[in-house]
Amino acid sequence: MNILLTGGLGFIGSHTATVLADYGHHVVIIDNLYNSQKETLNSLRSITGKVLPFYEGDVRDLPLLKRILKEEQIECVIHFAGLKSVAQSQTNPLEYFDNNVGGSIALLEAMQAINIKKLIFSSSATVYGAPQYLPYDEAHPLQPINVYGRTKLQVEEILQDLSQSDDAWSIVCLRYFNPIGAHNCGLIGERPQGIPNNLMPYLCQVASGQLPHLNIFGDDYDTKDGTGERDYIHVMDLAEGHAAALALMNRQTGFEAINLGTGNPVSVYELVHAFERSIQRTIPRIVQKRRSGDLPIYYAKVDKASRLLNWRAQRDLQAMCDSSWKYEQKIRAVL
Ligand code: NAD
Ligand code: UFG
């Protein structure tokens, strides 16, 4: 299949590109490099042995999108492009609605104009909001507690309306839980700009000496050891979930929202201990007060993914930590 990945040089998009290329798909990428580097293309070439066509551009550029869809004879789009910082979304909501919602509308207009009606959208567990029960299943009420989550929910609603207006559309919203880890070869991974907000990239930078210690945001939650619990999923498992969603779209039309997680809640301390096994040292850490806006615990019910996609996460927490650390060491060696 000829597949366009928007945001395909980013963390999840680049790993998905390797899996799809392995399956023999023709992968084309558009990215505006807002949160990624062009050198990732060289890494993708080394990993896949293929030169992936790349367009440096913005998904809000309608004429460019139409041209790519036509010239590359695209049959399906996976829409990763977007902004993902919860904190920045709160201070700059217009930028987030413009990019995440406006970008999606432009993409859909271009697809409709060229008559391409297969789409996978990168949604997030954030759309659920405070858990009314756990694990979250896909029928859980959708009440996001931050602007970022509301941009994702708005796009999901647009996609649902679109699929109801025209039953030729086949749309899958994948609600990712907490992707971490990296490709086994260590050539691609997560590379946030500035001081990381998320736990795994922060841990990596403490381990490589960029940051002095880890801050643990609260050890007084009503959880197994007092720290926050999340459903961490290996980014390569997540990438394979996209390949499985492509197969589903070839079997059915309509709209589906599907959780991609492992179904296992893991605490901050559990992740830190696994990471310490990877680096064979202890991580200096200081317990701080709770981070504002954090939920104590959430994790996925994964039955729908298993039933519809015939997919389950395969890799364990140690593999997530080992591969994250391998990538961190590779990038520190070249910087
Ligand atoms: P990322 O920032 O690494 O990748 C996103 C890519 O999109 C970047 O390469 C960026 O340069 C590009 N981009 C942003 N706006 C663009 C635009 N207007 N036009 C073209 N390119 C643009 O993020 P990621 O972690 O790979 O996330 C991919 C998607 O998954 C995002 O939509 C994100 O919201 C969603 N998601 C991520 C997580 C997570 O924890 N990483 C969790 C849930 C959902
Ligand atoms: N944490 C720390 N110290 C840190 C960073 C995080 O103790 O330096 C804790 C948090 O308090 C939380 C856990 O580690 O308990 C995970 O925090 P992350 O920031 O890694 O991840 P979040 O679950 O807060 O959010 C992430 C993304 C969101 C996305 C969501 C999907 O940031 O964009 O996962 O579930 F929507």
Side-chain angles (χ1 to χ4, degrees), residues 86-311:
V86 170
Q88 280 169 16
S89 77
Q90 296 296 111
T91 51
N92 210 342
L94 288 182
E95 187 188 4
Y96 270 67
F97 282 108
D98 180 27
N99 200 337
N100 293 4
V101 182
S104 299
I105 292 174
L107 172 66
L108 292 167
E109 275 175 10
M111 289 175 70
Q112 187 148 268
I114 316 292
N115 200 29
I116 298 161
K117 296 188 173 169
K118 284 189 167 72
L119 177 79
I120 297 175
F121 173 62
S122 294
S123 189
S124 168
T126 323
V127 295
Y128 293 117
Q132 297 187 10
Y133 55 85
L134 283 172
Y136 290 131
D137 59 23
E138 289 81 356
H140 185 283
L142 303 176
Q143 288 165 346
I145 56 170
N146 53 58
V147 171
Y148 167 69
R150 284 191 281 279
T151 68
K152 291 289 174 189
L153 179 55
Q154 285 192 8
V155 176
E156 283 203 13
E157 287 170 348
I158 291 167
L159 294 173
Q160 202 157 7
D161 286 342
L162 189 62
S163 81
Q164 271 164 20
S165 74
D166 174 356
D167 57 18
W169 278 94
S170 180
I171 297 173
V172 178
C173 289
L174 295 176
R175 294 178 181 156
Y176 310 151
F177 281 68
N178 287 53
I180 58 172
H183 195 281
N184 247 339
C185 68
L187 287 178
I188 54 173
E190 185 173 13
R191 203 167 147 186
Q193 286 164 2
I195 296 180
N197 287 314
N198 299 120
L199 182 57
M200 179 54 88
Y202 204 102
L203 266 173
C204 284
Q205 292 201 14
V206 174
S208 62
Q210 312 301 305
L211 294 165
H213 60 261
L214 174 70
N215 296 303
I216 294 186
F217 297 134
D219 67 352
D220 56 353
Y221 285 112
D222 183 16
T223 56
K224 60 180 118 179
D225 58 24
T227 63
E229 292 180 43
R230 295 290 183 272
D231 187 337
Y232 298 98
I233 173 169
H234 198 299
V235 67
M236 291 305 290
D237 278 327
L238 197 71
E240 283 161 9
H242 292 75
L246 282 177
L248 175 70
M249 288 197 306
N250 287 329
R251 292 199 304 272
Q252 66 174 53
T253 56
F255 174 95
E256 297 284 0
I258 303 175
N259 289 340
L260 290 188
T262 64
N264 305 318
V266 168
S267 74
V268 175
Y269 280 138
E270 285 174 328
L271 185 68
V272 170
H273 292 146
F275 190 76
E276 288 177 333
R277 285 194 289 279
S278 299
I279 64 169
Q280 300 184 332
R281 286 180 278 130
T282 54
I283 286 283
R285 47 190 179 258
I286 299 177
V287 175
Q288 308 280 7
K289 61 180 184 355
R290 296 176 179 191
R291 184 170 69 177
S292 134
D294 268 355
L295 292 166
I297 172 169
Y298 60 85
Y299 57 104
K301 190 165 170 74
V302 293
D303 298 27
K304 189 170 179 185
S306 165
R307 189 165 39 84
L308 284 188
L309 304 181
N310 195 21
W311 169 94

Side-chain angles (χ1 to χ4, degrees), residues 6-14 30-37 57-60 79-85 99-100 103 121-126 148 152 174-179 190-191 198 238:
T6 73
L9 291 188
F11 173 43
I12 304 170
S14 58
I30 176 174
D31 200 301
N32 66 2
L33 304 180
Y34 177 91
N35 195 33
S36 49
Q37 296 78 31
D58 198 294
V59 289
R60 290 164 290 188
H79 184 32
F80 297 102
L83 306 180
K84 62 170 181 177
S85 157
N99 200 337
N100 293 4
F121 173 62
S122 294
S123 189
S124 168
T126 323
Y148 167 69
K152 291 289 174 189
L174 295 176
R175 294 178 181 156
Y176 310 151
F177 281 68
N178 287 53
E190 185 173 13
R191 203 167 147 186
N198 299 120
L238 197 71

